[in-house]
């Protein structure tokens, strides 16, 4: 299991260091509880609410020293419970947002980070093999699956959790603005750029006192001689997740060469920020309204990407003074409704292709290749193939590692799974309704673009979307809507040839799941309407049959039913892994079982003191 969207401190290039070294007055120590009391006074009847960028907080929540092994579930759950309790006791409501996808425009940057992470992981395993000990916290890497488990832990603790339909920072900023929230808790300098509620640092949070650092965008603007509405322009000129750092490199150095107030303590990046800000306030402001922005900046062939970058910071109802005219050839950001606010949230489209996402289908090549055959049921698991290579097509695979970056699936892939014939259900009666995707035009740039999805059943797609937004499923909606998923780094030794990558170990399971999600649900394949929504007594048996078929364990149904429910999933997983990986030993099996059985009766404090 992998965390696709775990992010380090990101945002505008060089801004984090600049704020800390050159403009420390931007950072103010605040007591969140006192701010909450003031908020209650100013807005009677309104519960002070903080929007949490959960992906930025994983490192704060996960503190065990033996991080390389992972698995400290009870200790981690206890840390989350303490975190929630600290805010709850202060009368503060928390709303958690998780990244739910990688926007096409940011995928290049995402891939670069994944490859960089591969190199960091290689260093970890080199250290372990050479030193025969666990690396210190300076080499810390998030254990696999932590983000996924965190969602369910928070839901168990009664917290509202949302999974974004684009990168979460936009939805976090939008939610904070629209709901008059107390602030945003995270670690991303983009929250200084968005014109939204105050930004609090998770890295500086003291949970016992609820004191942290508040980073003030108004004070940042005072220091730079800018208006808040200029910050998106500055972010794009400096480089961020949409506009690559090299795009305006020559322009930045030209600003620096003519900047008269270079500061020794600011460093090179800091002085560049000051110089570019000076150019905006001194030159661009002077001619603003008289000249087009493309006449004042060296946009060249990057004009479309530049406008897209600026527009990406505009929250619902906001406009930019730098985007007055309609830029030609630009596709506006798609509008997606926030499940709580019913407000529209722009979502970036690819300005070149004018498509929301790349969809890879070939009507001429609907071929099936039998992958695994169940000897008992004679059921074949088919996979989508490339007509030339007959291989499952990965989007970006790092040839140096075992990391499969993105897998494309085909809408016509059909897999037969053992099932019973179920009754028909009225999807309108069974489904919870959810706002539909809207294609509206925030800045009147382009006409409406219709979304292309991999599943034609709009009803079941609504259910998948609702489950995605409310963190009740993982990656399912992405597969059904775009036919692609992003698989991130896991802690694996790419040089260990004896152990295959988890991406390849679980490939047969993924392909069978794709068949369930993208198939036409005829013949023996049960429909998602039955598997997800049916309350009939036979539906639960149907779900178990389907689960076992996905793991190619239909013949073990009777044996597995004899095992109590919490351990049944473990048995499925262990049987599957040991069939797939022939280099695992009996001692490995004993170790897995011991972790499941022997630690149940121990308290959190006992588990924390266990030696590796």
């Amino acid at each position: 299991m992998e965390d696709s969207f775990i992010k380090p401190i990101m945002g505008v290039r060089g801004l984090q260091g600049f704020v800390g070294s050159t403009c420390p007055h931007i950072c103010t120590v605040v007591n969140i509880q006192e701010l909450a009391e003031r908020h209650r006074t100013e807005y009677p009847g309104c519960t002070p609410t903080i929007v949490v960028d959960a992906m930025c907080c994983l490192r704060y929540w996960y503190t065990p020293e033996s991080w390389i092994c992972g698995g400290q579930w009870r200790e981690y759950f206890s840390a989350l419970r303490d975190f929630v309790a600290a805010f709850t006791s202060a009368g503060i409501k928390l709303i958690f947002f998780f990244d739910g996808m990688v926007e096409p425009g940011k995928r290049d940057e995402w891939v670069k980070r994944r490859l960089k992470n591969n190199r960091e992981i290689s260093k970890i395993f080199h250290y372990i093999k050479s030193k025969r000990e666990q690396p210190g916290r300076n080499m810390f890497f998030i254990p696999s699956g932590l983000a996924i488990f965190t969602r369910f832990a928070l839901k168990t603790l009664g917290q509202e959790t949302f999974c974004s339909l684009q990168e979460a920072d936009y939805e976090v900023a939008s939610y904070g603005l629209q709901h008059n929230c107390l602030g945003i808790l995270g670690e991303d300098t983009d929250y200084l750029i968005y014109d939204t509620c105050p930004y609090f640092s998770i890295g500086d949070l003291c949970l016992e006192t609820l004191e942290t650092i508040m980073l003030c965008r108004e004070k940042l603007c005072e220091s730079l001689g800018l208006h808040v509405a200029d910050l998106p322009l500055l972010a794009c000129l400096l480089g961020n997740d949409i506009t690559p750092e090299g795009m305006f490199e020559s322009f930045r150095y030209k600003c620096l060469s003519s900047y008269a107030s270079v500061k020794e303590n600011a460093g090179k990046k800091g002085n560049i920020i000051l110089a570019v800000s000076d150019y905006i306030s001194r030159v661009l402001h002077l001619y603003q309204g008289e000249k087009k922005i493309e006449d004042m900046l060296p946009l060249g062939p990057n004009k479309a990407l530049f406008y897209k970058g600026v527009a990406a910071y505009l929250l619902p109802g906001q406009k930019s003074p730098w985007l007055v005219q309609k830029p030609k050839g630009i596709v506006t950001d798609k509008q997606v409704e926030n499940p709580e606010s019913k407000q529209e949230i722009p979502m970036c489209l690819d300005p070149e292709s004018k498509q929301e996402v790349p969809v890879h289908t070939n009507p001429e090549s609907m071929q099936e290749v039998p992958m695994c055959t169940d000897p008992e049921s004679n059921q074949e698991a088919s996979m989508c193939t490339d007509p030339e290579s007959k291989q499952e097509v990965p989007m970006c695979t790092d040839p140096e590692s075992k990391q499969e970056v993105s897998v494309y699936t085909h809408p016509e892939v059909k897999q037969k799974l053992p099932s019973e014939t179920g009754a028909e259900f009225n999807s309108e009666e069974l489904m919870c309704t959810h706002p539909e995707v809207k294609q509206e035009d925030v800045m009147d740039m382009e006409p409406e673009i219709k979304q292309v999805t991999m599943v034609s059943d709009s009803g079941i797609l609504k259910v998948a979307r609702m489950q995605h937004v409310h963190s009740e499923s993982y990656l399912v909606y992405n597969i059904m809507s775009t036919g692609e998923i992003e698989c991130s780094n896991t802690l694996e030794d790419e040089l260990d040839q004896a152990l295959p990558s988890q991406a390849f170990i679980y490939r047969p399971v993924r392909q069978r799941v794709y068949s369930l999600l993208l198939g036409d649900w005829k013949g023996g394949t049960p429909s998602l309407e039955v598997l997800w929504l049916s309350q009939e007594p036979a539906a639960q048996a149907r779900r178990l049959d389907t689960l076992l078929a996905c793991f190619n364990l239909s013949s073990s149904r009777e044996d597995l039913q004899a095992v109590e429910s919490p351990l049944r999933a473990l048995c499925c997983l262990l049987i599957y892994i040991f069939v797939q990986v022939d280099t695992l030993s009996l001692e490995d099996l004993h170790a897995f079982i011991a972790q499941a059985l022997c630690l149940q009766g121990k308290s959190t404090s006992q588990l924390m003191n266990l030696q590796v």
Side-chain angles (χ1 to χ4, degrees):
M1 203 172 283
E2 59 280 314
D3 292 313
S4 297
F5 313 104
I6 290 173
K7 56 187 179 183
I9 295 173
M10 297 193 304
V12 184
R13 304 293 187 270
L15 188 57
Q16 186 80 22
F18 172 79
V19 167
S21 63
T22 310
C23 298
H25 63 282
I26 293 171
C27 305
T28 307
V29 177
V30 295
N31 186 288
I32 296 178
Q33 185 169 2
E34 292 176 1
L35 294 178
E37 291 170 358
R38 192 183 309 163
H39 189 275
R40 271 188 287 267
T41 302
E42 294 176 0
Y43 305 99
C46 179
T47 303
T49 301
I50 289 180
V51 198
V52 183
D53 185 338
M55 306 304 284
C56 292
C57 300
L58 295 179
R59 286 173 173 80
Y60 179 89
W61 292 327
Y62 187 87
T63 57
E65 290 298 318
S66 56
W67 56 269
I68 199 72
C69 300
Q72 300 92 342
W73 172 247
R74 202 171 300 169
E75 300 100 300
Y76 184 64
F77 187 82
S78 178
L80 290 175
R81 184 174 55 220
D82 292 344
F83 181 86
V84 170
F87 286 91
T88 302
S89 62
I92 299 170
K93 181 180 179 180
L94 299 175
I95 302 289
F96 296 87
F97 274 84
F98 290 82
D99 276 314
M101 58 90 72
V102 178
E103 293 180 19
K106 296 186 177 184
R107 183 168 283 139
D108 287 346
E109 184 64 29
W110 181 84
V111 170
K112 288 179 185 176
R113 287 187 178 133
R114 302 289 74 77
L115 298 179
K116 179 178 180 291
N117 285 347
N118 281 348
R119 295 190 291 272
E120 298 301 318
I121 291 170
S122 295
K123 292 177 184 177
I124 291 171
F125 281 99
H126 175 75
Y127 183 95
I128 293 171
K129 288 185 283 189
S130 60
K131 303 284 188 180
R132 301 293 176 182
E133 63 183 25
Q134 177 173 271
R137 189 80 180 185
N138 61 313
M139 296 183 76
F140 178 70
F141 195 87
I142 294 284
S144 300
L146 191 68
I148 306 165
F149 299 137
T150 301
R151 300 178 199 183
F152 293 108
L154 290 171
K155 291 176 80 68
T156 301
L157 291 168
Q159 300 302 295
E160 284 190 66
T161 62
F162 295 108
C163 194
S164 70
L165 290 165
Q166 60 194 103
E167 288 205 30
D169 55 359
Y170 184 94
E171 294 192 18
V172 168
S174 179
Y175 190 99
L177 176 68
Q178 294 165 11
H179 291 81
N180 190 29
C181 289
L182 185 63
I184 291 168
L185 189 60
E187 207 73 56
D188 189 332
T189 50
D190 274 337
Y191 294 129
L192 269 175
I193 307 300
Y194 288 111
D195 187 5
T196 182
C197 59
Y199 163 36
F200 305 130
S201 166
I202 180 63
D204 295 291
L205 174 66
C206 175
L207 198 60
E208 289 74 21
T209 62
L210 287 186
E211 286 188 348
T212 188
I213 297 294
M214 182 177 74
L215 292 88
C216 180
R217 65 184 63 86
E218 287 76 15
K219 289 183 179 179
L220 174 64
C221 288
E222 288 175 13
S223 300
L224 299 177
L226 301 177
H227 309 303
V228 172
D230 298 328
L231 292 178
L233 171 65
L234 174 67
C236 291
L237 292 177
L238 295 175
N240 55 17
D241 292 338
I242 293 180
T243 56
E245 192 171 10
M247 183 182 293
F248 294 105
E249 187 171 13
S250 60
F251 168 76
R252 290 194 295 270
Y253 280 103
K254 191 175 293 184
C255 291
L256 185 61
S257 64
S258 61
Y259 183 54
S261 305
V262 173
K263 297 182 179 179
E264 292 184 5
N265 68 326
K268 183 178 178 180
K269 287 190 175 181
N271 277 305
I272 286 176
I273 293 174
L274 291 169
V276 173
S277 300
D278 178 69
Y279 185 86
I280 293 172
S281 63
R282 185 171 46 84
V283 178
L284 299 188
H285 280 176
L286 181 64
Y287 296 104
Q288 190 176 10
E290 298 177 17
K291 294 183 180 181
K292 297 179 181 178
I293 187 68
E294 54 259 39
D295 295 333
M296 296 189 285
L297 290 174
L299 299 183
N302 300 312
K303 182 167 66 173
L305 195 57
F306 168 78
Y307 280 117
K308 180 179 176 180
V310 174
Y313 287 107
L314 301 181
L315 303 178
Q318 295 180 348
K319 295 181 179 180
S320 169
W322 303 105
L323 295 178
V324 176
Q325 300 192 31
K326 174 182 177 179
K328 297 179 181 179
I330 312 284
V331 176
T332 187
D333 295 350
K334 185 182 74 172
Q335 302 293 309
V336 178
E337 290 185 9
N338 182 295
E340 293 298 302
S341 67
K342 308 294 183 186
Q343 296 293 325
E344 295 169 347
I345 299 177
M347 192 175 197
C348 291
L349 302 181
D350 181 350
E352 300 302 322
S353 65
K354 300 189 180 181
Q355 293 184 4
E356 182 193 1
V357 289
V359 178
H360 292 244
T361 56
N362 186 346
E364 302 298 324
S365 63
M366 300 174 184
Q367 302 182 35
E368 292 186 6
V369 174
M371 184 69 188
C372 294
T373 303
D374 184 339
E376 297 298 319
S377 63
N378 287 327
Q379 300 296 330
E380 290 184 350
S382 59
M383 61 183 273
C384 151
T385 61
D386 182 315
E388 298 298 323
S389 64
K390 297 188 178 180
Q391 298 292 322
E392 182 183 16
V393 183
M395 178 191 168
C396 301
T397 302
D398 177 9
E400 300 297 322
S401 72
K402 301 175 180 179
Q403 304 300 331
E404 184 177 357
V405 178
S406 183
V407 177
Y408 285 81
T409 53
H410 199 286
E412 295 298 324
V413 68
K414 300 170 185 175
Q415 176 187 5
K416 301 176 178 65
L417 293 172
S419 63
E420 302 170 4
T421 303
E424 295 182 359
F425 294 90
N426 187 333
S427 60
E428 294 300 322
E429 294 176 0
L430 291 170
M431 281 188 302
C432 298
T433 57
H434 195 272
E436 294 189 20
V437 173
K438 287 186 178 180
Q439 302 288 343
E440 293 186 5
D441 203 8
V442 175
M443 297 183 301
D444 192 27
M445 288 182 181
E446 284 290 337
E448 175 176 309
I449 303 290
K450 291 185 178 179
Q451 183 183 11
V452 179
T453 62
M454 305 295 284
V455 175
S456 59
D457 188 335
S458 60
I460 206 67
L461 197 62
K462 281 184 183 179
V463 177
R465 185 176 184 272
M466 179 195 68
Q467 292 174 342
H468 173 97
V469 169
H470 291 281
S471 301
E472 294 166 3
S473 64
Y474 177 66
L475 296 181
V476 168
Y477 178 69
N478 293 4
I479 295 168
M480 296 177 70
S481 61
T482 68
E484 61 181 7
I485 56 173
E486 289 86 10
C487 299
S488 188
N489 311 83
T490 53
L491 276 171
E492 295 183 295
D493 185 3
E494 63 185 36
L495 299 179
D496 186 351
Q497 299 301 316
L499 287 175
S501 164
Q502 59 84 26
F504 293 100
I505 292 172
Y506 292 109
R507 174 178 277 181
V509 177
R510 289 202 310 275
Q511 289 166 343
R512 294 178 185 122
V513 172
Y514 296 157
S515 297
L516 286 169
L517 298 178
L518 303 176
D520 56 11
W521 308 314
K522 293 178 182 177
T525 305
S527 72
L528 295 179
E529 199 170 272
V530 171
L531 291 175
W532 288 354
L533 304 174
S534 174
Q535 302 300 316
E536 294 293 320
Q540 187 59 33
R542 203 86 184 273
R543 294 176 185 118
L544 177 59
D545 285 338
T546 306
L547 172 68
L548 296 180
C550 285
F551 282 93
N552 200 26
L553 293 173
S554 298
S555 59
S556 303
R557 190 185 199 280
E558 187 175 339
D559 293 331
L560 287 167
Q561 279 192 303
V563 181
E564 58 184 292
S565 183
L567 297 175
R568 195 175 298 156
L570 172 69
C571 290
C572 286
L573 193 59
L574 290 180
I575 295 170
Y576 178 83
I577 290 174
F578 277 80
V579 168
Q580 294 289 320
V581 186
D582 56 12
T583 54
L584 291 174
S585 66
L586 186 60
E587 287 75 17
D588 293 318
L589 179 62
H590 290 164
F592 281 123
I593 295 175
Q595 288 185 70
L597 297 180
C598 300
L599 304 181
Q600 289 187 9
K602 296 187 180 297
S603 67
T604 301
S605 58
Q606 287 176 314
L607 293 172
M608 291 176 68
N609 294 321
L610 282 179
Q611 296 299 309
V612 176

